[in-house]
Amino acid sequence: MSDMKELFCEKAKLVAAKVTSIKSMDEAFAYAANYVAEKNPCELLIPSSPDAAQPEFAEEKIMAAPELSDDQYAALAKACGAKGVKLIKSGMRNYMAGIDAGFTIADAGFIETGSIVQQSNGEELRLATMVSEVHIAVLPASKIFEDSIAAEQLLLELMSGVAYTAVITGPSRTADIERTLAIGAHGPLELHILLLED
């Protein structure tokens, strides 16, 4: 498994994801709370008034974690509270221009492309991974696969019935705008993958 972890890390870093090994969920919560507390605040994209020369900055730092278990959410809330970070579980539409980070647990990772797989059937989870400035995803090491073919059985389970399953490769990027690479145009500026020993 260690070879698979190393290969995944190499591939994920090639697509500009930031990969960190962790030993517990508590370590993941501390990482996320510290990161958000120390980052520059979100810059709201909508000016406060038509006369405003520059966008205003959010007054508080916000992390969204919509689909954690109650125990996990409580532990993350404690870590966030200690750092002065507001944690939300729902109501993402009320914070469309001001979510500093979305925190999720990935369903799988593919070595071939350095991607994570996220089942996002709920709108709150989709928004948390799409409108946040930073996406922080925990990936259990046991859920790393060589490629989508090796993960066929898991993917069939994730996509059974009505399902919205995303394959996320690095931060959001596009070159549609005058053929110039733009990071964060359609989603997060950064993807942090916390590789959990399990």
Side-chain angles (χ1 to χ4, degrees):
M1 176 58 78
S2 61
D3 288 344
M4 291 182 73
K5 279 174 39 185
E6 287 175 22
L7 284 170
F8 177 83
C9 289
E10 287 174 21
K11 293 290 190 168
K13 288 176 183 176
L14 286 173
V15 293
K18 297 176 182 185
V19 184
T20 303
S21 291
I22 57 170
K23 294 181 178 165
S24 69
M25 285 301 292
D26 285 338
E27 196 175 334
F29 301 148
Y31 176 100
N34 287 334
Y35 182 81
V36 173
E38 292 172 7
K39 76 181 275 299
N40 289 329
C42 269
E43 193 175 279
L44 298 180
L45 301 178
I46 302 168
S48 56
S49 72
D51 301 325
Q54 295 180 354
E56 65 182 55
F57 286 94
E59 292 181 12
E60 59 188 346
K61 294 185 178 179
I62 300 168
M63 187 185 316
E67 292 198 7
L68 296 181
S69 69
D70 290 342
D71 290 344
Q72 290 171 331
Y73 187 84
L76 181 54
K78 184 176 178 182
C80 287
K83 294 290 182 176
V85 174
K86 179 177 181 176
L87 183 65
I88 60 173
K89 193 170 194 167
S90 60
M92 257 43 89
R93 285 185 175 270
N94 298 323
Y95 298 92
M96 292 298 274
I99 299 176
D100 291 277
F103 185 94
T104 67
I105 299 174
D107 294 292
F110 298 154
I111 292 172
E112 182 179 44
T113 55
S115 306
I116 60 170
V117 177
Q118 186 85 61
Q119 186 183 52
S120 308
N121 289 345
E123 181 186 56
E124 297 289 347
L125 184 60
R126 287 197 300 276
L127 289 174
T129 62
M130 292 171 62
V131 302
S132 301
E133 278 195 346
V134 176
H135 179 190
I136 301 171
V138 176
L139 173 62
S142 62
K143 300 217 176 160
I144 295 174
F145 297 87
E146 288 182 18
D147 52 29
S148 58
I149 295 170
E152 179 182 9
Q153 188 57 47
L154 174 64
L155 291 174
L156 288 172
E157 291 169 18
L158 292 175
M159 294 187 287
S160 63
V162 178
Y164 185 101
T165 302
V167 177
I168 302 167
T169 307
S172 169
R173 65 188 72 215
T174 184
D176 292 345
I177 306 163
E178 298 180 2
R179 296 184 188 172
T180 302
L181 181 63
I183 304 293
H186 304 301
L189 292 163
E190 298 177 16
L191 173 62
H192 293 237
I193 301 171
L194 305 182
L195 203 51
L196 176 64
E197 299 283 353
D198 64 340

